Amino acid sequence: MKRNPFFLQLSPNYLFRELKNRVDNFALLNPERSLISLGVGDTTEPLGTTIAESLSQAACDMRDQELYMGYGPDQGLLPLREKIASVLYQDIISPDEVFVSDGAKCDIARLQVLFGQDAVVYIQDPSYPAYADSSRLARSIVGKEGHRLSYLSTLPEKDTLPHLEAAPEDAIIFLCSPNNPTGVAFQRSELSSLVDIAQRKNQLIVYDVAYRAFIQGDLPRSIYEIEGAKKCAIEIGSFSKMAGFSGIRLGWTVVPKDLTYSNGITIHSDFLRLVTTTFNGASILSQRGGIQALSPEGLEEIERQILLYLENAGSLKEALLKKNFIVSGGEHSPYVWIKTEHTSSWDAFDYFLQETGIIVTPGIGFGPSGEGHVRISGFGRPYLIESAIRRIESL
Ligand code: PLP
């Protein structure tokens, strides 16, 4: 059997494997040093009590002849889709437009099938690596017409707005707000200008709101808050960072009914066909947990966790600013993005490891514009964050 040649387009060394090798080597050579891991962006706080209880109740219900469920509905449990539409979107979208998933990453990869082999993809840079990797696996990135995968550099110290004008008509554009790794969230006027360009150029925006729960104040939490977005955007969300569901697995994708391909056919019907063909739905247990997470008690539990992570990130940011680092994020995001004086982000990674024992993530893992930068995460137990801050202060 021949190997799918698109695998050759992936970078051979997965970032976190290389990171682990470097950390293991360092630990071997420096057994007396204690390390603090603020590299991998995974949640650390336990589930809220009522959310955890709803998960176990859902499992117990499966023992009951009357309550047992096999496969769920194609788009997900209706009460969950209703809650997503009303609680998270204040009904600017309808439950029919919500597709419940087993997480944002899975849908980022799944929806590549919608666009086919010839699609031209533009990716905000730096950003979550799954956009580039799933695009590389879905098609040849070099075609007769040139490159089918390009980056839109968006560095906070230079320009927060991706230059969509540079992307051609019909391009697929991956955007993330608040962005992982820079922590920057789009302002309303910025997002409005992006939607205007996308509409004019018939581009499709795939808008990732995995960190929407971290937004404070009046910034848009969804692209659909912007007029016209229903005609040019798909939105992908997740319960992972919002409710600590990274291991439980639950997310959603919004595909507006008004959204069409250039030939006028609705994308919604193809997306439904796609999920029924390639996915049999998120676990009923996680969906029940998601319903509770969006209840008044669940939302309080979530809010407490979000505030704790934001406090962690804010304190890290403050300590770094005092040491004259150029930083962004930490206000609407659990991440702080650091511009260092190193040209290579692996050198910057080694600097933090050697000088502080703090494990950060090298910026290059998020795209070419990440060079010279690292990301530090506010996902961590508060006592570890305090210890990390003391180490930064003594730099
Ligand atoms: N989108 C972004 C921007 C992320 O940073 C992550 C995970 O780190 C995901 C999506 C993945 O979310 P999920 O756990 O729902 O697959």
Side-chain angles (χ1 to χ4, degrees):
M1 191 197 98
K2 284 191 187 154
R3 185 188 191 206
N4 176 349
F6 298 165
F7 275 98
L8 290 170
Q9 302 182 135
L10 295 179
S11 111
N13 233 337
Y14 188 57
L15 180 87
F16 288 107
R17 204 178 319 139
E18 171 68 13
L19 191 148
K20 186 175 179 307
N21 287 345
R22 289 189 186 224
V23 172
D24 288 350
N25 273 344
F26 180 82
L28 207 65
L29 295 173
N30 303 277
E32 74 296 350
R33 299 279 303 273
S34 78
L35 301 180
I36 300 176
S37 176
L38 299 178
V40 183
D42 199 0
T43 42
T44 47
E45 289 302 301
L47 288 181
T49 311
T50 71
I51 299 175
E53 282 167 3
S54 72
L55 287 165
S56 58
Q57 185 58 52
C60 291
D61 286 353
M62 289 289 192
R63 291 185 311 205
D64 187 309
Q65 184 66 71
E66 301 301 317
L67 299 175
Y68 170 78
M69 270 187 85
Y71 294 119
D74 291 336
Q75 284 187 231
L77 296 177
L78 183 59
L80 177 58
R81 288 187 284 121
E82 284 172 344
K83 275 229 148 35
I84 290 174
S86 64
V87 176
L88 297 180
Y89 289 90
Q90 287 76 47
D91 294 315
I92 54 174
I93 56 147
S94 80
D96 273 4
E97 296 174 309
V98 178
F99 294 79
V100 174
S101 73
D102 51 350
K105 193 182 215 173
C106 318
D107 263 1
I108 290 164
R110 263 194 292 266
L111 60 69
Q112 291 282 355
V113 175
L114 290 176
F115 313 135
Q117 300 260 327
D118 294 332
V120 172
V121 174
Y122 275 66
I123 295 176
Q124 185 178 359
D125 173 33
S127 66
Y128 185 48
Y131 313 138
D133 282 352
S134 60
S135 300
R136 287 171 197 276
L137 276 181
R139 63 189 64 84
S140 168
I141 57 167
V142 187
K144 272 192 252 124
E145 335 65 34
H147 272 268
R148 294 205 185 98
L149 175 72
S150 304
Y151 289 98
L152 294 163
S153 181
T154 320
L155 281 170
E157 69 270 17
K158 290 189 182 145
D159 188 3
T160 50
L161 214 53
H163 188 50
L164 286 208
E165 292 286 8
E169 303 255 329
D170 287 332
I172 312 298
I173 318 273
F174 281 91
L175 301 178
C176 183
S177 180
N179 188 25
N180 173 15
T182 61
V184 176
F186 291 125
Q187 305 281 331
R188 208 166 285 280
S189 57
E190 293 176 327
L191 195 52
S192 214
S193 71
L194 296 175
V195 166
D196 280 352
I197 300 170
Q199 265 197 291
R200 181 161 42 76
K201 298 192 82 170
N202 215 6
Q203 297 164 339
L204 177 81
I205 298 176
V206 179
Y207 197 67
D208 184 338
V209 293
Y211 296 91
R212 56 167 280 151
F214 293 86
I215 292 181
Q216 306 295 299
D218 183 43
L219 298 179
R221 287 168 174 73
S222 161
I223 197 165
Y224 304 120
E225 291 176 36
I226 307 297
E227 207 176 320
K230 281 190 165 186
K231 294 214 156 76
C232 65
I234 286 176
E235 183 162 292
I236 298 185
S238 170
F239 281 76
S240 291
K241 313 296 158 100
M242 177 170 80
F245 274 35
S246 47
I248 291 165
R249 309 304 303 147
L250 190 66
W252 72 90
T253 292
V254 180
V255 185
K257 292 208 155 153
D258 287 350
L259 190 65
T260 60
Y261 298 104
S262 6
N263 65 4
I265 293 181
T266 62
I267 298 185
H268 186 281
S269 50
D270 275 3
F271 198 75
L272 179 60
R273 184 75 168 87
L274 182 64
V275 294
T276 51
T277 305
T278 60
F279 177 54
N280 261 341
S283 153
I284 297 292
L285 308 193
S286 356
Q287 296 193 63
R288 291 273 303 272
I291 294 171
Q292 179 59 26
L294 297 180
S295 72
E297 309 83 47
L299 288 169
E300 268 178 35
E301 291 168 356
I302 289 176
E303 182 66 7
R304 272 198 293 278
Q305 296 183 350
I306 297 290
L307 290 178
L308 181 140
Y309 294 134
L310 280 176
E311 207 172 303
N312 288 351
S315 313
L316 286 167
K317 182 177 187 175
E318 208 178 296
L320 288 158
L321 279 171
K322 280 195 193 139
K323 287 288 160 183
N324 296 322
F325 284 100
I326 299 170
V327 296
S328 68
E331 277 163 61
H332 306 289
S333 156
Y335 301 126
V336 180
W337 179 243
I338 311 167
K339 177 171 166 30
T340 72
E341 57 195 23
H342 304 269
T343 43
S344 143
S345 60
W346 279 114
D347 287 350
F349 168 87
D350 288 336
Y351 165 80
F352 274 95
L353 189 59
Q354 274 151 26
E355 300 301 320
T356 66
I358 301 174
I359 302 166
V360 294
T361 313
I364 189 64
F366 301 97
S369 298
E371 273 303 21
H373 299 75
V374 291
R375 184 195 75 180
I376 190 163
S377 165
F379 287 124
R381 303 310 322 272
Y383 77 93
L384 283 176
I385 301 284
E386 279 164 27
S387 168
I389 287 169
R390 281 195 296 278
R391 294 181 192 193
I392 293 169
E393 283 169 348
S394 63
L395 264 174

